[in-house]
């Protein structure tokens, strides 16, 4: 196993190396989404397969920073960001990035961070998403008769992790309250960020970027679906606000850790507004914004973006609203399961998180 960080490269959707392509027809920008694994959640008990020294904050933080610096994306959508004020904000500023941060609710120590190169994009508008607001939509006195969620899988009471515990289901209602009370069930302390950027190109085009991290538990798919619906509802309103205020039709990109595998209800809903999607949602209303996945529309969804002995699968996505003004140019390559530095599970010295970074390069076509 290598002791140096793995630095993935962007691969052209046309199959050629991105450096050998012809001159761009418009303004190009890159975006990377990465669940960097909050240090608050790095416990040897959760990652017994990882070399203990690779889990230490000093090494992990420097490795994460090295990976981000090497990727050099114009916009980073990071999840599970803790130590924001003490580490990431200043170090990313030194690399030329301004930032927006939304800490999770309650006692949670991590949150979502959106970092952008201020010489490439100007922030013009932002809104924070607090999924606990879903509780306000529940009528008082409303209770659920659904008892199938009374036996809840959990990894750690205060940890929004996406691995399914190897020891199976445990009754843990004392950690998360009564799962049959929707006021309790919907209060998962998850958050997101929406931001509108004016790209510093010839056309000064506006792009909306949303970054989010949905709830982890596979047994609580209804909560994740409610969060996904709320996200796109808020995003549609934000797009209208930006359009009215700046007299334009902004492009829309949504990225994050959705804790949902390809084809499940959340994934189906996210792409349900896209007519070219081959997935037919089951009894779902159509998404208010048409979205397609970067990887699904090019190489196909990867076999995994999260890799541990307890769970291996794809949970992270970059989605964009397809229009004739935006073109997908390249995507970030991902390792195979038999790659030497992957075998045994993440994190390790080469990969500082249990998730892999995913990314895309877009081109705004000249009008």
């Amino acid at each position: 196993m290598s002791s140096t960080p793995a630095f993935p490269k962007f691969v052209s959707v046309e199959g050629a190396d991105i450096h050998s392509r012809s001159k761009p027809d418009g303004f190009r920008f890159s975006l990377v989404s990465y669940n960097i694994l909050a240090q608050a959640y790095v416990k040897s008990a959760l990652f017994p397969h990882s070399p203990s020294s690779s889990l230490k904050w000093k090494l992990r933080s420097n490795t994460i920073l090295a990976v981000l610096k090497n990727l050099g994306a114009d916009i980073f959508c990071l999840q599970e960001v803790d130590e924001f004020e003490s580490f990431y904000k200043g170090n990313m500023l030194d690399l030329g990035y301004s930032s927006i941060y939304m800490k999770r609710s309650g006692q949670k120590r991590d949150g979502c961070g959106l970092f952008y190169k201020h010489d490439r994009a100007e922030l013009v508008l932002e809104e924070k998403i607090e999924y606990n607001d879903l509780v306000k939509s529940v009528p008082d006195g409303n209770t659920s008769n659904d008892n199938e969620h009374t036996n809840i899988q959990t990894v750690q009471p205060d940890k929004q992790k996406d691995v399914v515990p190897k020891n199976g289901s445990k009754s843990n209602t004392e950690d998360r309250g009564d799962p049959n009370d929707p006021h309790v069930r919907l209060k998962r302390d998850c958050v997101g960020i929406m931001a509108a950027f004016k790209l510093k190109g010839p056309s000064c085009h506006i792009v909306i970027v949303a970054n989010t991290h949905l709830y982890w538990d596979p047994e609580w798919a209804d909560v994740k679906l409610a969060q996904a619906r709320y996200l796109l509802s808020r995003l549609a309103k934000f797009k209208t606000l930006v359009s009215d205020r700046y007299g334009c039709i902004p492009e829309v990109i949504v990225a994050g850790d959705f804790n949902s595998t390809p084809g499940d209800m959340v994934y189906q809903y996210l792409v349900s507004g896209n007519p070219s999607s081959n997935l037919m949602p089951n009894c779902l209303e159509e998404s208010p914004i048409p979205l397609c996945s970067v990887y699904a529309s090019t190489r196909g969804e990867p076999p995994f973006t999260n890799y541990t002995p307890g769970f291996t699968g794809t949970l992270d996505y970059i989605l964009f609203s397809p229009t004739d003004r935006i073109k997908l140019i390249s995507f970030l390559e991902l390792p195979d399961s038999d790659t030497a530095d992957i075998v045994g599970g993440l994190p390790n010295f080469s990969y500082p998180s249990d998730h892999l970074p995913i990314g895309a390069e877009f081109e705004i076509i000249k009008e």
Side-chain angles (χ1 to χ4, degrees), residues 60-314:
R60 281 194 68 244
S61 59
N62 288 326
T63 303
I64 291 168
L65 197 64
V67 171
L68 298 180
K69 182 178 180 180
N70 182 267
L71 287 169
D74 295 306
I75 299 171
F76 282 107
C77 295
L78 304 184
Q79 305 86 44
E80 288 203 22
V81 179
D82 59 358
E83 306 296 342
F84 173 73
E85 292 288 346
S86 64
F87 183 80
Y88 289 106
K89 183 179 181 180
N91 279 292
M92 291 298 282
L93 186 60
D94 290 343
L95 296 177
Y97 293 88
S98 294
S99 55
I100 310 168
Y101 183 64
M102 177 63 170
K103 186 174 177 290
R104 292 179 65 198
S105 315
Q107 301 302 309
K108 307 299 188 297
R109 292 170 56 184
D110 65 305
C112 290
L114 206 164
F115 299 81
Y116 59 97
K117 285 184 177 177
H118 40 248
D119 65 343
R120 297 272 288 165
E122 175 191 352
L123 176 67
V124 295
L125 199 63
E126 67 174 275
E127 283 189 14
K128 307 289 180 61
I129 297 175
E130 173 64 81
Y131 291 111
N132 284 356
D133 289 343
L134 283 165
V135 174
K136 301 173 185 175
S137 67
V138 180
D140 289 337
N142 185 6
T143 57
S144 170
N145 294 319
D146 180 7
N147 294 319
E148 66 175 308
H149 299 292
T150 54
N151 200 21
I152 302 169
Q153 292 181 322
T154 186
V155 176
Q156 185 181 351
D158 62 346
K159 174 71 173 93
Q160 177 184 296
K161 283 311 295 173
D162 30 44
V163 293
V164 178
K166 289 184 285 186
N167 58 352
S169 227
K170 290 183 180 178
S171 179
N172 210 37
T173 53
E174 69 274 14
D175 292 327
R176 294 187 282 185
D178 179 6
N180 296 314
D181 181 352
H183 295 86
V184 173
R185 192 174 185 83
L186 290 170
K187 194 174 182 180
R188 299 297 102 208
D189 299 334
C190 302
V191 297
I193 300 170
M194 300 181 295
F197 297 101
K198 183 181 291 184
L199 302 179
K200 295 187 177 180
S203 63
C204 295
H205 203 89
I206 291 183
V207 173
I208 291 172
V209 175
N211 175 25
T212 195
H213 191 181
L214 302 190
Y215 189 54
W216 70 268
D217 198 325
E219 294 295 312
W220 292 39
D222 59 312
V223 173
K224 285 186 268 195
L225 184 57
Q227 291 177 342
R229 285 171 169 160
Y230 186 61
L231 168 66
L232 295 198
S233 172
R234 287 283 305 274
L235 194 56
K237 293 175 183 176
F238 187 66
K239 181 182 178 183
T240 299
L241 175 63
V242 172
S243 299
D244 292 345
R245 183 171 296 185
Y246 298 99
C248 67
I249 303 176
E251 307 305 324
V252 177
I253 300 172
V254 185
D257 177 354
F258 293 87
N259 273 315
S260 306
T261 55
D264 73 7
M265 291 292 277
V266 169
Y267 184 92
Q268 288 189 63
Y269 175 69
L270 290 170
V271 301
S272 64
N274 179 20
S276 65
S277 172
N278 294 322
L279 292 171
M280 295 303 293
N282 300 318
C283 303
L284 282 177
E285 76 273 18
E286 187 176 287
S287 157
I289 295 181
L291 295 170
C292 64
S293 164
V294 162
Y295 285 88
S297 62
T298 52
R299 52 151 280 172
E301 296 293 4
F304 59 88
T305 60
N306 178 257
Y307 196 89
T308 67
F311 176 84
T312 297
T314 296

Side-chain angles (χ1 to χ4, degrees), residues 311-332:
F311 176 84
T312 297
T314 296
L315 301 169
D316 308 270
Y317 306 96
I318 298 172
L319 306 114
F320 68 104
S321 192
T323 70
D324 56 6
R325 299 179 303 276
I326 189 168
K327 180 181 178 182
L328 181 58
I329 298 297
S330 65
F331 57 85
L332 195 63

